[in-house]
């Protein structure tokens, strides 16, 4: 149980704690349960205990009135009343030792007629606070002794069969009443547990939704910013290693760096806006998400960065491709071009796009082996892992790996339903 739950549980009874039984409050108070201390009586407990004591005394007084009509040995009537008085006083211990009190009351109520009321109260308390197996033993022993009791001490005003039946009926009623009270308390505790479990599940679902949103934002950040920052790196590296380049080439590279930095900042603002808005699917106030129609601009941008890119666009009507499918295809091509720029600089990259409604959309990006081994790049492979998950979520799949000639291929298939 969490700390918040523990702090909140006692407040469930704020201002009305006295209305509940101490045992129920103890169960719902995790601090009291953890400390192991006995539950303290509430105002309701004092009222109920006093009424139970009065009931035991009242039944004992009615039974004491019948003692003078019985033929008892000398001194037995006094012993009967002493045991009855002690039994009525023991009623105040019923919450602390319900099982022990009920077990003790079985022989005491058999020996003392005036202790019958206390025995009934003890049996009711046992049914409220203990499982049925305890009640079955105590109640069964009491019912079994009733015929013997009324045979040894018959009531002159009530027939034997009626007296036994009345005793059995009273015992059964008290047991049933106690079990009903116990079932109500258990129902309340089960509802409390179900409410807490529901709160925990809702909290877990919220945390999972937040985690999925963060993962989606992280994928989007990688897909967008990796492409822009790679362009910055390529052109900055060209300026560093070719300080004697023509003025026009230096100006063009500087323009690409400025534009890429501006685009990266714009994309970063969009992602931060999504984080603040708390929704990964609906950017607030940002630029529209790329679709398949933006693939030409992506290829042109890569060519301006110095890459050799061939686009084989085999889709007759790009506007007919669903926006979510086109966006995923764009991200696949973008990530593949970024990887080719990092791991195989100087090679010719081919982007091939084919598909029709019903058959699906296929995006293939290939390049031959690089002329020289490229230096390792930190975090390599994370983008392809994210793209594989993105394609799977879209209902398609993504395959990538080396080719026999030493090159590399990325092939993704996405569902394109018929209109």
């Amino acid at each position: 149980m969490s700390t918040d739950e523990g702090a909140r549980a006692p407040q469930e009874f704020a201002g009305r704690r006295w209305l509940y039984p101490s045992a129920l409050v103890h169960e719902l108070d995790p601090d009291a349960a953890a400390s192991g201390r006995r539950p303290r009586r509430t105002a309701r407990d004092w009222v109920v205990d006093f009424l139970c004591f009065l009931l035991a005394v009242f039944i004992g007084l009615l039974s004491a009135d019948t003692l003078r009509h019985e033929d008892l040995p000398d001194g037995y009537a006094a012993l009967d009343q002493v045991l009855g008085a002690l039994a009525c006083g023991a009623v105040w211990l019923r919450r602390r030792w319900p099982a022990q009190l009920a077990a003790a009351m079985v022989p005491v109520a058999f020996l003392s007629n005036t202790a019958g009321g206390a025995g009934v109260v003890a049996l009711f308390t046992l049914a409220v606070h203990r499982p049925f197996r305890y009640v079955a033993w105590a109640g069964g022993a009491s019912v079994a002794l009733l015929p013997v009791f009324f045979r040894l001490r018959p009531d002159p005003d009530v027939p034997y069969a009626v007296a036994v039946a009345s005793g059995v009926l009273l015992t059964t009623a008290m047991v049933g009443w106690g079990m009903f009270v116990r079932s109500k308390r258990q129902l309340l505790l089960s509802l409390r547990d179900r409410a807490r479990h529901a709160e925990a599940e809702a909290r877990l679902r919220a945390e999972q939704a937040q985690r999925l949103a963060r993962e989606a934002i992280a994928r989007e950040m990688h897909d967008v910013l990796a492409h822009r920052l790679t362009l910055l790196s390529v052109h900055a590296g060209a300026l560093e290693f070719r300080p004697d380049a023509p003025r026009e080439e230096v100006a063009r590279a500087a323009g690409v760096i400025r534009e890429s930095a501006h685009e990266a900042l714009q994309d970063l603002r969009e992602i931060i806006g999504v984080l603040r808005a708390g929704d990964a699917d609906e950017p607030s106030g940002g630029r529209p998400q790329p679709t398949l129609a933006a693939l030409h601009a992506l290829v042109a941008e890569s060519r301006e960065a110095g890459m050799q890119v061939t686009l084989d666009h085999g889709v007759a009507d790009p506007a007919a491709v669903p926006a979510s499918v086109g966006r995923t295809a764009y991200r696949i091509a973008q990530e593949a071009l970024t990887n080719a720029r990092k791991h195989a600089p100087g090679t010719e990259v081919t982007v091939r796009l084919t598909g029709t409604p019903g058959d699906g959309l296929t995006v293939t990006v290939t390049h031959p082996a690089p002329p020289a081994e490229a230096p390792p790049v930190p975090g390599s492979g994370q983008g392809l892992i994210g793209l594989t998950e993105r394609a799977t979520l879209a209902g398609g799949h993504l395959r990538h790996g080396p080719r026999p000639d030493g090159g590399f291929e990325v092939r993704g298939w996405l569902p394109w339903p018929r209109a």
Side-chain angles (χ1 to χ4, degrees):
M1 183 180 299
S2 66
T3 305
D4 293 339
E5 290 178 351
R8 185 171 59 251
Q11 297 178 359
E12 298 172 358
F13 302 97
R16 50 192 176 92
R17 188 186 185 99
W18 63 275
L19 288 173
Y20 293 89
S22 59
L24 186 60
V25 175
H26 188 76
E27 289 291 336
L28 294 176
D29 187 348
D31 295 334
S35 65
R37 65 177 184 269
R38 275 194 312 114
R40 300 178 59 182
R41 283 189 178 96
T42 62
R44 176 190 180 279
D45 290 341
W46 284 104
V47 172
V48 172
D49 289 348
F50 186 70
L51 291 178
C52 289
F53 174 74
L54 290 181
L55 176 63
V57 171
F58 177 73
I59 296 177
L61 292 176
L62 292 180
S63 301
D65 187 58
T66 64
L67 292 178
R68 63 176 179 268
H69 301 295
E70 297 185 54
D71 186 13
L72 300 174
D74 294 338
Y76 193 85
L79 176 63
D80 188 303
Q81 296 181 43
V82 170
L83 290 177
L86 293 176
C88 291
V91 167
W92 291 99
L93 304 176
R94 69 189 189 93
R95 294 184 184 274
R96 187 169 186 177
W97 296 302
Q100 294 87 335
L101 180 63
M105 284 300 157
V106 172
V108 170
F110 180 76
L111 296 175
S112 172
N113 196 13
T114 56
V120 170
V121 173
L123 191 60
F124 167 78
T125 305
L126 183 66
V128 171
H129 294 280
R130 292 295 182 268
F132 179 73
R133 61 180 182 273
Y134 296 95
V135 185
W137 282 104
S142 299
V143 171
L145 291 176
L146 282 176
V148 182
F149 176 83
F150 285 110
R151 180 65 66 183
L152 296 176
R153 302 180 63 175
D155 190 334
D157 299 328
V158 181
Y160 173 76
V162 175
V164 172
S166 300
V168 172
L169 181 62
L170 178 62
T171 302
T172 305
M174 296 305 292
V175 170
W177 185 18
M179 293 179 63
F180 172 73
V181 173
R182 176 178 173 82
S183 66
K184 285 185 62 179
R185 294 184 181 181
Q186 289 180 332
L187 176 61
L188 181 60
L189 293 175
S190 66
L191 292 176
R192 184 277 315 267
D193 292 337
R194 289 176 59 184
R196 290 184 176 177
H197 291 161
E199 290 178 1
E201 291 177 0
R203 190 162 51 251
L204 288 176
R205 286 194 297 268
E207 292 175 357
Q208 184 180 14
Q210 291 177 354
R211 179 177 57 81
L212 293 176
R214 291 191 185 102
E215 291 177 355
I217 293 171
R219 286 195 301 268
E220 194 73 14
M221 181 180 292
H222 179 277
D223 294 343
V224 174
L225 294 183
H227 176 72
R228 305 294 182 193
L229 296 179
T230 302
L231 288 177
L232 285 172
S233 176
V234 169
H235 286 277
L239 291 178
E240 179 183 3
F241 289 104
R242 294 193 59 191
D244 56 344
R247 181 181 180 86
E248 293 78 8
E249 185 175 343
V250 172
R252 183 176 65 84
V256 173
I257 292 175
R258 181 183 57 79
E259 184 65 24
S260 298
H262 178 73
E263 294 289 337
L265 287 175
Q266 287 292 103
D267 294 331
L268 186 59
R269 289 193 189 97
E270 289 181 8
I271 295 171
I272 292 175
V274 171
L275 286 171
R276 289 174 176 171
D279 191 348
D281 296 329
E282 297 293 337
S284 57
R287 293 171 295 173
Q289 292 292 300
T291 60
L292 198 62
L295 189 58
H296 289 281
L298 176 66
V299 171
E301 186 179 29
S302 299
R303 288 171 179 166
E304 291 179 1
M307 292 185 65
Q308 304 177 42
V309 183
T310 301
L311 176 60
D312 183 5
H313 206 311
V315 178
D317 186 9
V321 179
S324 59
V325 176
R327 181 165 56 253
T328 304
Y330 177 92
R331 295 304 187 196
I332 293 174
Q334 184 184 50
E335 177 64 21
L337 289 173
T338 301
N339 289 340
R341 187 181 302 116
K342 292 188 295 185
H343 303 292
T347 60
E348 182 178 358
V349 184
T350 302
V351 180
R352 183 173 293 104
L353 200 66
T354 59
T356 57
D359 295 332
L361 183 67
T362 302
V363 183
T364 306
V365 182
T366 59
H367 64 78
E373 184 177 356
V377 179
S380 299
Q382 298 301 316
L384 291 177
I385 294 174
L387 282 181
T388 302
E389 183 179 357
R390 183 193 289 267
T392 303
L393 292 176
H397 55 78
L398 183 74
R399 302 289 183 268
H400 54 83
R403 300 172 60 187
D405 60 356
F408 198 84
E409 179 179 271
V410 177
R411 179 184 295 270
W413 177 87
L414 303 169
W416 183 359
R418 298 181 185 274

